[in-house]
Amino acid sequence: MEFTINQIAAMLGGQVQGDGNEKINMLAKIQDARKGQLAFLSNPKYEQYIYTTQASVVIVKKDFVPRKEISTNLILVDDPYIGFTSLLEEYHKMINFQKTGIEQPSYIGENSVTGNNIYRGAFSYIGSKVKIGDNVKIHPHVYIGDDVVIGSNSIIHAGVKIYSGTRIGNNCVLHSGAVLGSDGFGFAPQEDGTYKTIPQLGNVILEDNITIGANTVIDCATLFGDSTIIHQGVKLDNLIQIAHNVEIGKNTVIAAQTGVSGSTKIGDNCVLAGQVGLAGHLIIANNTSFGAQAGISKSIKDEGMKMIGSPAFDVKEYFKSYAVFKKLPDLNERLRELEKKVMSKVEQ
Amino acid sequence: MEFTINQIAAMLGGQVQGDGNEKINMLAKIQDARKGQLAFLSNPKYEQYIYTTQASVVIVKKDFVPRKEISTNLILVDDPYIGFTSLLEEYHKMINFQKTGIEQPSYIGENSVTGNNIYRGAFSYIGSKVKIGDNVKIHPHVYIGDDVVIGSNSIIHAGVKIYSGTRIGNNCVLHSGAVLGSDGFGFAPQEDGTYKTIPQLGNVILEDNITIGANTVIDCATLFGDSTIIHQGVKLDNLIQIAHNVEIGKNTVIAAQTGVSGSTKIGDNCVLAGQVGLAGHLIIANNTSFGAQAGISKSIKDEGMKMIGSPAFDVKEYFKSYAVFKKLPDLNERLRELEKKVMSKVEQ
Amino acid sequence: MEFTINQIAAMLGGQVQGDGNEKINMLAKIQDARKGQLAFLSNPKYEQYIYTTQASVVIVKKDFVPRKEISTNLILVDDPYIGFTSLLEEYHKMINFQKTGIEQPSYIGENSVTGNNIYRGAFSYIGSKVKIGDNVKIHPHVYIGDDVVIGSNSIIHAGVKIYSGTRIGNNCVLHSGAVLGSDGFGFAPQEDGTYKTIPQLGNVILEDNITIGANTVIDCATLFGDSTIIHQGVKLDNLIQIAHNVEIGKNTVIAAQTGVSGSTKIGDNCVLAGQVGLAGHLIIANNTSFGAQAGISKSIKDEGMKMIGSPAFDVKEYFKSYAVFKKLPDLNERLRELEKKVMSKVEQ
């Protein structure tokens, strides 16, 4: 993966000043960049670095006029920041999608079909009757059970475990150690104090454009034909627990170590901070925000609420209460003083 | 896995109305069922669906009399719900235990023995001197260290990691990504601020009928001959932390993301909600309940306590205090008003 | 691994009383030890056991004089406890470092180099251009991406996943299921409510003498050339979340299930209890302590603070406030009583 400055300028629709044939193999910050690397200058605060940078080329604004001599090449564009981030994205895609082919040993069961341009890493396991779309990247140590469906352009990182019957859409990214479709936590208490396992026969559905963080777990639904559903555009961070029959609305974002209990439905475009816990069987309205470590014990009907605390309530009210909480020993003392005064007045 | 209606009726001790030779390959809800599937009707609220269902057969109560024409076959039993759930359980067992044989490549070390009817998935690893009972299912990417013992009828899902010396009983289910026997977190502070690792030489013991959730971790005990012990019938959800030398009493149930610190002993038949944290070296009485996100810093001697909060106390008392907490700004204001009044009276 | 009593005495610089040729293959507690095992007597409280122990040899203090007949052999040393723990450590190292060689099938990519005396377990995967030092132990199912560097004497337990570009120092221990270098959780909100993935192009650096617990996750930094950095001597427990661009100072210890949000810098020699959560972009001074379940929302400038609560403040102050919190219903009642009294006085 090496491009000439001319090639990069063509991608960005920019103009080259200097040697367009020099080769670039890396992107870097202007203050750190070395020979063979590309940087950008957008914020004027960093202009000083363009006179000293070792970068082979710097993307600058079309109207940039150097105040001193510069030794680097330039690519002139409308917006250097957007230009740079576009390159970042392209580079990232290239890295993520460059692997193709089948490393050995790897395993694939009967009646499974895979699309074009896929990668199956060594020690990856694909069960029977699995359908996998184009450009899917299945890294080493991935386990895919029977009857799983995976759409196109999805990346399954090393060591992800996908139980039988799971359905995954297009453009999803699953990070290492994520588990999809493990049994829901369902046990019926018996008279003798033991628990009987309730069979977990549903599955997990991930729609399109979903990211699942490392070591996050999503349990399957309990009944046949039922699903734990993650709607399109949802982003889940690491070490999150999603219990059986949960449904998460589109474009909802959940930070690390949050847990959602069984059968709770979270609306669209919600934002959950880290280490939040939700009880089971709740319905959470669209556009709800939960602060870090919030504990949610009731459904939320009104959209746009911002809540924190355990149990959670309005975030502003919470912090007002908490401000008084910090002074409680003082408040207690003031009350005691007042009681004494009043008592002495009463006794007078 | 296909049965005739006659075969299923025989399993349930029921009577067939219709074509007993039709074949069934799936269970489903009465409103969703299709040809080849079996449903049940227990709640009269759902009776309407029996007249329109596509199911090949519906399990109904012995005394059920259709009020309209029905096109599905029937199996008449004493209790359709119990009949259906029995079939679910049988079906679940069949799914879980249907795999047998050894997929290649898989690895087994010297002097290891396995029982009858076991499954060893591709890329599974069994160390040396391991003993595995009958009907055990070892899915792909499972790692089993040296000197491990596993009883009969246990299911080890894909990617479980079991360190050397661990002992697992009969009828246990370990979900993907669970880790058993990792080092306890023991470090001795040195004078120069560094920490010296305390060797962790004990093991983990799981008795019978235990379920361990996905990505849950159970550390080994510190000393030779000591064990972290999970007693029979315990059910652990996903992403739980069980530290070194912990002991969990029989039939105790723990929800996701809860953590138990080193050397704490939890009694029998306790119920711990999600995201609970317990300090180390505690002793928790039988039948204790902890609410979600509770923080437990002291031992509990009396059985049957229900606690919440951090640090936790009686759940009813907690919610009374929390109700006042929510009004603390108001309470503070009332106190201020009262101080003014009393002050003005005193000044009079 | 079997030694004679004479050999062990030589290692400890101690003197043998009895049969120095007897063979020892295990260490145990004096009350549990059997033939072929070694125990120690340090605390006089346990002296009784030396007269009944089945141990083949007991390490005792140089000046120990038995008050009854003893049947075990003795090794006399200056400090039996230190002698015993030294043996434990040696034994632990021997166990951890005894495996060498390459089990098959295992995978190694092009242009990767490994040092002397390394172990590569079956189904381990090493990508391209990887450099691995001497005595490194790579257990089964470990995944090591491209361009990874691992120093000498590090142990990578079964199933650890290390993304491309990660750098790991000497004497590190990574437990099963740990993930290093997964994408940071970075998404830019778009006008239509969807999120655009921000490419994560940095890496993770672990310096020397670091322990990472089972199923702990450390995300890579966002930008090229940036790193999430764990400094030397840090000990991380299980199921911890370390987000992108975090930096953890040397000899800091973090207990299980704690989460650190993006770009936060934690100082040296800090102690974080379990289930603590830190917000992003904070700077935490050296020698800070956080109690269990603390929620940290602000930077901490002064060294040596001890904090708890969510949001956290001084631990002593917190517990004073919490003591009043537990009595809030009572306090509320007292205030109401006082209001009545004052009101009646005012009305008089």
PDB file of all heavy atoms in Angstrom, chain C residues 168-198:
ATOM      1  N   ILE C 168       4.332  -5.257  23.367  1.00  0.00           N
ATOM      2  CA  ILE C 168       4.299  -5.802  24.722  1.00  0.00           C
ATOM      3  C   ILE C 168       5.724  -6.004  25.208  1.00  0.00           C
ATOM      4  O   ILE C 168       6.550  -6.545  24.478  1.00  0.00           O
ATOM      5  CB  ILE C 168       3.532  -7.144  24.733  1.00  0.00           C
ATOM      6  CG1 ILE C 168       2.081  -6.908  24.288  1.00  0.00           C
ATOM      7  CG2 ILE C 168       3.598  -7.819  26.094  1.00  0.00           C
ATOM      8  CD1 ILE C 168       1.269  -8.174  24.122  1.00  0.00           C
ATOM      9  N   GLY C 169       6.003  -5.575  26.451  1.00  0.00           N
ATOM     10  CA  GLY C 169       7.358  -5.621  26.986  1.00  0.00           C
ATOM     11  C   GLY C 169       7.757  -6.994  27.533  1.00  0.00           C
ATOM     12  O   GLY C 169       7.193  -8.021  27.168  1.00  0.00           O
ATOM     13  N   ASN C 170       8.734  -6.968  28.440  1.00  0.00           N
ATOM     14  CA  ASN C 170       9.254  -8.182  29.059  1.00  0.00           C
ATOM     15  C   ASN C 170       8.453  -8.541  30.307  1.00  0.00           C
ATOM     16  O   ASN C 170       7.895  -7.665  30.977  1.00  0.00           O
ATOM     17  CB  ASN C 170      10.716  -7.983  29.481  1.00  0.00           C
ATOM     18  CG  ASN C 170      11.583  -7.567  28.315  1.00  0.00           C
ATOM     19  OD1 ASN C 170      11.596  -8.222  27.281  1.00  0.00           O
ATOM     20  ND2 ASN C 170      12.274  -6.445  28.471  1.00  0.00           N
ATOM     21  N   ASN C 171       8.452  -9.816  30.653  1.00  0.00           N
ATOM     22  CA  ASN C 171       7.879 -10.287  31.912  1.00  0.00           C
ATOM     23  C   ASN C 171       6.413  -9.899  32.094  1.00  0.00           C
ATOM     24  O   ASN C 171       5.970  -9.634  33.207  1.00  0.00           O
ATOM     25  CB  ASN C 171       8.671  -9.733  33.109  1.00  0.00           C
ATOM     26  CG  ASN C 171      10.148 -10.014  32.986  1.00  0.00           C
ATOM     27  OD1 ASN C 171      10.530 -11.147  32.724  1.00  0.00           O
ATOM     28  ND2 ASN C 171      10.964  -8.990  33.135  1.00  0.00           N
ATOM     29  N   CYS C 172       5.673  -9.848  31.015  1.00  0.00           N
ATOM     30  CA  CYS C 172       4.242  -9.574  31.129  1.00  0.00           C
ATOM     31  C   CYS C 172       3.471 -10.894  31.171  1.00  0.00           C
ATOM     32  O   CYS C 172       3.928 -11.905  30.642  1.00  0.00           O
ATOM     33  CB  CYS C 172       3.765  -8.738  29.944  1.00  0.00           C
ATOM     34  SG  CYS C 172       4.434  -7.057  29.981  1.00  0.00           S
ATOM     35  N   VAL C 173       2.310 -10.864  31.828  1.00  0.00           N
ATOM     36  CA  VAL C 173       1.418 -12.029  31.852  1.00  0.00           C
ATOM     37  C   VAL C 173       0.044 -11.574  31.390  1.00  0.00           C
ATOM     38  O   VAL C 173      -0.536 -10.666  31.979  1.00  0.00           O
ATOM     39  CB  VAL C 173       1.319 -12.632  33.265  1.00  0.00           C
ATOM     40  CG1 VAL C 173       0.360 -13.823  33.270  1.00  0.00           C
ATOM     41  CG2 VAL C 173       2.690 -13.058  33.775  1.00  0.00           C
ATOM     42  N   LEU C 174      -0.465 -12.194  30.335  1.00  0.00           N
ATOM     43  CA  LEU C 174      -1.798 -11.859  29.822  1.00  0.00           C
ATOM     44  C   LEU C 174      -2.700 -13.063  29.999  1.00  0.00           C
ATOM     45  O   LEU C 174      -2.400 -14.147  29.478  1.00  0.00           O
ATOM     46  CB  LEU C 174      -1.728 -11.497  28.335  1.00  0.00           C
ATOM     47  CG  LEU C 174      -1.296 -10.067  27.988  1.00  0.00           C
ATOM     48  CD1 LEU C 174       0.115  -9.752  28.456  1.00  0.00           C
ATOM     49  CD2 LEU C 174      -1.382  -9.846  26.486  1.00  0.00           C
ATOM     50  N   HIS C 175      -3.801 -12.887  30.711  1.00  0.00           N
ATOM     51  CA  HIS C 175      -4.677 -14.033  30.978  1.00  0.00           C
ATOM     52  C   HIS C 175      -5.735 -14.233  29.892  1.00  0.00           C
ATOM     53  O   HIS C 175      -6.044 -13.325  29.115  1.00  0.00           O
ATOM     54  CB  HIS C 175      -5.307 -13.901  32.359  1.00  0.00           C
ATOM     55  CG  HIS C 175      -4.358 -14.351  33.426  1.00  0.00           C
ATOM     56  ND1 HIS C 175      -4.101 -15.668  33.663  1.00  0.00           N
ATOM     57  CD2 HIS C 175      -3.553 -13.664  34.264  1.00  0.00           C
ATOM     58  CE1 HIS C 175      -3.200 -15.773  34.624  1.00  0.00           C
ATOM     59  NE2 HIS C 175      -2.838 -14.569  35.004  1.00  0.00           N
ATOM     60  N   SER C 176      -6.289 -15.426  29.907  1.00  0.00           N
ATOM     61  CA  SER C 176      -7.199 -15.881  28.842  1.00  0.00           C
ATOM     62  C   SER C 176      -8.304 -14.870  28.544  1.00  0.00           C
ATOM     63  O   SER C 176      -8.912 -14.307  29.447  1.00  0.00           O
ATOM     64  CB  SER C 176      -7.851 -17.203  29.234  1.00  0.00           C
ATOM     65  OG  SER C 176      -6.924 -18.243  29.103  1.00  0.00           O
ATOM     66  N   GLY C 177      -8.571 -14.709  27.279  1.00  0.00           N
ATOM     67  CA  GLY C 177      -9.690 -13.867  26.863  1.00  0.00           C
ATOM     68  C   GLY C 177      -9.389 -12.380  26.868  1.00  0.00           C
ATOM     69  O   GLY C 177     -10.239 -11.583  26.446  1.00  0.00           O
ATOM     70  N   ALA C 178      -8.210 -11.967  27.335  1.00  0.00           N
ATOM     71  CA  ALA C 178      -7.849 -10.548  27.272  1.00  0.00           C
ATOM     72  C   ALA C 178      -7.745 -10.131  25.808  1.00  0.00           C
ATOM     73  O   ALA C 178      -7.315 -10.921  24.962  1.00  0.00           O
ATOM     74  CB  ALA C 178      -6.530 -10.300  27.990  1.00  0.00           C
ATOM     75  N   VAL C 179      -8.172  -8.894  25.514  1.00  0.00           N
ATOM     76  CA  VAL C 179      -8.134  -8.362  24.155  1.00  0.00           C
ATOM     77  C   VAL C 179      -7.318  -7.071  24.171  1.00  0.00           C
ATOM     78  O   VAL C 179      -7.626  -6.149  24.923  1.00  0.00           O
ATOM     79  CB  VAL C 179      -9.555  -8.072  23.623  1.00  0.00           C
ATOM     80  CG1 VAL C 179      -9.498  -7.411  22.251  1.00  0.00           C
ATOM     81  CG2 VAL C 179     -10.380  -9.352  23.572  1.00  0.00           C
ATOM     82  N   LEU C 180      -6.292  -6.997  23.348  1.00  0.00           N
ATOM     83  CA  LEU C 180      -5.463  -5.786  23.274  1.00  0.00           C
ATOM     84  C   LEU C 180      -5.524  -5.201  21.870  1.00  0.00           C
ATOM     85  O   LEU C 180      -5.243  -5.903  20.893  1.00  0.00           O
ATOM     86  CB  LEU C 180      -4.002  -6.126  23.585  1.00  0.00           C
ATOM     87  CG  LEU C 180      -3.595  -6.072  25.057  1.00  0.00           C
ATOM     88  CD1 LEU C 180      -4.317  -7.144  25.846  1.00  0.00           C
ATOM     89  CD2 LEU C 180      -2.094  -6.221  25.224  1.00  0.00           C
ATOM     90  N   GLY C 181      -5.906  -3.923  21.793  1.00  0.00           N
ATOM     91  CA  GLY C 181      -5.816  -3.233  20.515  1.00  0.00           C
ATOM     92  C   GLY C 181      -7.101  -3.175  19.711  1.00  0.00           C
ATOM     93  O   GLY C 181      -7.086  -2.745  18.556  1.00  0.00           O
ATOM     94  N   SER C 182      -8.218  -3.581  20.311  1.00  0.00           N
ATOM     95  CA  SER C 182      -9.511  -3.430  19.633  1.00  0.00           C
ATOM     96  C   SER C 182      -9.774  -1.945  19.388  1.00  0.00           C
ATOM     97  O   SER C 182      -9.200  -1.080  20.045  1.00  0.00           O
ATOM     98  CB  SER C 182     -10.613  -4.050  20.483  1.00  0.00           C
ATOM     99  OG  SER C 182     -10.418  -3.744  21.855  1.00  0.00           O
ATOM    100  N   ASP C 183     -10.674  -1.664  18.441  1.00  0.00           N
ATOM    101  CA  ASP C 183     -10.941  -0.266  18.076  1.00  0.00           C
ATOM    102  C   ASP C 183     -11.457   0.541  19.258  1.00  0.00           C
ATOM    103  O   ASP C 183     -12.331   0.083  20.002  1.00  0.00           O
ATOM    104  CB  ASP C 183     -12.030  -0.204  16.989  1.00  0.00           C
ATOM    105  CG  ASP C 183     -11.459  -0.499  15.611  1.00  0.00           C
ATOM    106  OD1 ASP C 183     -10.256  -0.762  15.486  1.00  0.00           O
ATOM    107  OD2 ASP C 183     -12.244  -0.445  14.651  1.00  0.00           O
ATOM    108  N   GLY C 184     -10.941   1.762  19.425  1.00  0.00           N
ATOM    109  CA  GLY C 184     -11.544   2.702  20.356  1.00  0.00           C
ATOM    110  C   GLY C 184     -12.968   2.994  19.934  1.00  0.00           C
ATOM    111  O   GLY C 184     -13.323   2.833  18.762  1.00  0.00           O
ATOM    112  N   PHE C 185     -13.796   3.411  20.905  1.00  0.00           N
ATOM    113  CA  PHE C 185     -15.223   3.632  20.659  1.00  0.00           C
ATOM    114  C   PHE C 185     -15.399   5.065  20.177  1.00  0.00           C
ATOM    115  O   PHE C 185     -15.717   5.963  20.960  1.00  0.00           O
ATOM    116  CB  PHE C 185     -15.970   3.372  21.964  1.00  0.00           C
ATOM    117  CG  PHE C 185     -17.462   3.199  21.810  1.00  0.00           C
ATOM    118  CD1 PHE C 185     -17.982   2.157  21.060  1.00  0.00           C
ATOM    119  CD2 PHE C 185     -18.335   4.056  22.456  1.00  0.00           C
ATOM    120  CE1 PHE C 185     -19.354   1.975  20.945  1.00  0.00           C
ATOM    121  CE2 PHE C 185     -19.710   3.884  22.343  1.00  0.00           C
ATOM    122  CZ  PHE C 185     -20.221   2.843  21.584  1.00  0.00           C
ATOM    123  N   GLY C 186     -15.172   5.278  18.883  1.00  0.00           N
ATOM    124  CA  GLY C 186     -15.212   6.637  18.357  1.00  0.00           C
ATOM    125  C   GLY C 186     -16.162   6.734  17.184  1.00  0.00           C
ATOM    126  O   GLY C 186     -15.943   6.102  16.151  1.00  0.00           O
ATOM    127  N   PHE C 187     -17.207   7.536  17.323  1.00  0.00           N
ATOM    128  CA  PHE C 187     -18.230   7.667  16.292  1.00  0.00           C
ATOM    129  C   PHE C 187     -18.664   9.119  16.230  1.00  0.00           C
ATOM    130  O   PHE C 187     -18.981   9.723  17.249  1.00  0.00           O
ATOM    131  CB  PHE C 187     -19.427   6.772  16.613  1.00  0.00           C
ATOM    132  CG  PHE C 187     -19.063   5.322  16.701  1.00  0.00           C
ATOM    133  CD1 PHE C 187     -18.761   4.743  17.916  1.00  0.00           C
ATOM    134  CD2 PHE C 187     -18.953   4.559  15.553  1.00  0.00           C
ATOM    135  CE1 PHE C 187     -18.376   3.417  18.009  1.00  0.00           C
ATOM    136  CE2 PHE C 187     -18.566   3.231  15.627  1.00  0.00           C
ATOM    137  CZ  PHE C 187     -18.278   2.657  16.855  1.00  0.00           C
ATOM    138  N   ALA C 188     -18.678   9.676  15.030  1.00  0.00           N
ATOM    139  CA  ALA C 188     -19.070  11.074  14.859  1.00  0.00           C
ATOM    140  C   ALA C 188     -20.553  11.144  14.492  1.00  0.00           C
ATOM    141  O   ALA C 188     -20.966  10.559  13.484  1.00  0.00           O
ATOM    142  CB  ALA C 188     -18.228  11.710  13.762  1.00  0.00           C
ATOM    143  N   PRO C 189     -21.376  11.837  15.300  1.00  0.00           N
ATOM    144  CA  PRO C 189     -22.809  11.925  15.008  1.00  0.00           C
ATOM    145  C   PRO C 189     -23.055  12.702  13.716  1.00  0.00           C
ATOM    146  O   PRO C 189     -22.442  13.748  13.492  1.00  0.00           O
ATOM    147  CB  PRO C 189     -23.380  12.673  16.213  1.00  0.00           C
ATOM    148  CG  PRO C 189     -22.226  13.327  16.871  1.00  0.00           C
ATOM    149  CD  PRO C 189     -21.003  12.567  16.507  1.00  0.00           C
ATOM    150  N   GLN C 190     -23.946  12.202  12.880  1.00  0.00           N
ATOM    151  CA  GLN C 190     -24.298  12.869  11.631  1.00  0.00           C
ATOM    152  C   GLN C 190     -25.663  13.547  11.780  1.00  0.00           C
ATOM    153  O   GLN C 190     -26.406  13.255  12.712  1.00  0.00           O
ATOM    154  CB  GLN C 190     -24.353  11.836  10.491  1.00  0.00           C
ATOM    155  CG  GLN C 190     -23.085  11.025  10.351  1.00  0.00           C
ATOM    156  CD  GLN C 190     -21.873  11.865  10.005  1.00  0.00           C
ATOM    157  OE1 GLN C 190     -21.827  12.515   8.976  1.00  0.00           O
ATOM    158  NE2 GLN C 190     -20.891  11.897  10.913  1.00  0.00           N
ATOM    159  N   GLU C 191     -25.975  14.418  10.853  1.00  0.00           N
ATOM    160  CA  GLU C 191     -27.232  15.165  10.959  1.00  0.00           C
ATOM    161  C   GLU C 191     -28.471  14.279  10.906  1.00  0.00           C
ATOM    162  O   GLU C 191     -29.509  14.620  11.478  1.00  0.00           O
ATOM    163  CB  GLU C 191     -27.300  16.213   9.845  1.00  0.00           C
ATOM    164  CG  GLU C 191     -26.382  17.386  10.149  1.00  0.00           C
ATOM    165  CD  GLU C 191     -26.629  18.560   9.225  1.00  0.00           C
ATOM    166  OE1 GLU C 191     -27.566  18.503   8.412  1.00  0.00           O
ATOM    167  OE2 GLU C 191     -25.865  19.541   9.320  1.00  0.00           O
ATOM    168  N   ASP C 192     -28.359  13.142  10.232  1.00  0.00           N
ATOM    169  CA  ASP C 192     -29.533  12.260  10.111  1.00  0.00           C
ATOM    170  C   ASP C 192     -29.677  11.288  11.278  1.00  0.00           C
ATOM    171  O   ASP C 192     -30.496  10.377  11.224  1.00  0.00           O
ATOM    172  CB  ASP C 192     -29.473  11.471   8.792  1.00  0.00           C
ATOM    173  CG  ASP C 192     -28.257  10.548   8.745  1.00  0.00           C
ATOM    174  OD1 ASP C 192     -27.425  10.594   9.682  1.00  0.00           O
ATOM    175  OD2 ASP C 192     -28.140   9.771   7.780  1.00  0.00           O
ATOM    176  N   GLY C 193     -28.881  11.515  12.348  1.00  0.00           N
ATOM    177  CA  GLY C 193     -29.009  10.669  13.534  1.00  0.00           C
ATOM    178  C   GLY C 193     -28.115   9.446  13.517  1.00  0.00           C
ATOM    179  O   GLY C 193     -27.953   8.781  14.533  1.00  0.00           O
ATOM    180  N   THR C 194     -27.521   9.142  12.360  1.00  0.00           N
ATOM    181  CA  THR C 194     -26.593   8.004  12.309  1.00  0.00           C
ATOM    182  C   THR C 194     -25.218   8.441  12.805  1.00  0.00           C
ATOM    183  O   THR C 194     -24.976   9.633  13.050  1.00  0.00           O
ATOM    184  CB  THR C 194     -26.449   7.465  10.869  1.00  0.00           C
ATOM    185  OG1 THR C 194     -25.856   8.494  10.070  1.00  0.00           O
ATOM    186  CG2 THR C 194     -27.804   7.089  10.286  1.00  0.00           C
ATOM    187  N   TYR C 195     -24.341   7.474  12.962  1.00  0.00           N
ATOM    188  CA  TYR C 195     -22.971   7.762  13.392  1.00  0.00           C
ATOM    189  C   TYR C 195     -21.993   7.275  12.327  1.00  0.00           C
ATOM    190  O   TYR C 195     -22.193   6.216  11.744  1.00  0.00           O
ATOM    191  CB  TYR C 195     -22.668   7.058  14.714  1.00  0.00           C
ATOM    192  CG  TYR C 195     -23.395   7.667  15.872  1.00  0.00           C
ATOM    193  CD1 TYR C 195     -24.700   7.300  16.167  1.00  0.00           C
ATOM    194  CD2 TYR C 195     -22.787   8.630  16.674  1.00  0.00           C
ATOM    195  CE1 TYR C 195     -25.380   7.875  17.234  1.00  0.00           C
ATOM    196  CE2 TYR C 195     -23.455   9.199  17.744  1.00  0.00           C
ATOM    197  CZ  TYR C 195     -24.757   8.820  18.015  1.00  0.00           C
ATOM    198  OH  TYR C 195     -25.418   9.386  19.074  1.00  0.00           O
ATOM    199  N   LYS C 196     -20.957   8.043  12.117  1.00  0.00           N
ATOM    200  CA  LYS C 196     -19.897   7.667  11.200  1.00  0.00           C
ATOM    201  C   LYS C 196     -18.727   7.156  12.043  1.00  0.00           C
ATOM    202  O   LYS C 196     -18.344   7.785  13.038  1.00  0.00           O
ATOM    203  CB  LYS C 196     -19.467   8.913  10.421  1.00  0.00           C
ATOM    204  CG  LYS C 196     -18.834   8.628   9.085  1.00  0.00           C
ATOM    205  CD  LYS C 196     -18.696   9.924   8.284  1.00  0.00           C
ATOM    206  CE  LYS C 196     -17.856   9.723   7.061  1.00  0.00           C
ATOM    207  NZ  LYS C 196     -17.727  10.956   6.284  1.00  0.00           N
ATOM    208  N   THR C 197     -18.168   6.044  11.649  1.00  0.00           N
ATOM    209  CA  THR C 197     -17.059   5.469  12.410  1.00  0.00           C
ATOM    210  C   THR C 197     -15.798   6.311  12.225  1.00  0.00           C
ATOM    211  O   THR C 197     -15.403   6.602  11.094  1.00  0.00           O
ATOM    212  CB  THR C 197     -16.793   4.029  11.928  1.00  0.00           C
ATOM    213  OG1 THR C 197     -17.976   3.274  12.131  1.00  0.00           O
ATOM    214  CG2 THR C 197     -15.638   3.402  12.686  1.00  0.00           C
ATOM    215  N   ILE C 198     -15.167   6.702  13.318  1.00  0.00           N
ATOM    216  CA  ILE C 198     -13.873   7.387  13.242  1.00  0.00           C
ATOM    217  C   ILE C 198     -12.795   6.304  13.219  1.00  0.00           C
ATOM    218  O   ILE C 198     -12.686   5.519  14.158  1.00  0.00           O
ATOM    219  CB  ILE C 198     -13.667   8.310  14.458  1.00  0.00           C
ATOM    220  CG1 ILE C 198     -14.767   9.378  14.485  1.00  0.00           C
ATOM    221  CG2 ILE C 198     -12.281   8.935  14.443  1.00  0.00           C
ATOM    222  CD1 ILE C 198     -14.811  10.182  15.767  1.00  0.00           C
TER     223      ILE C 198
END
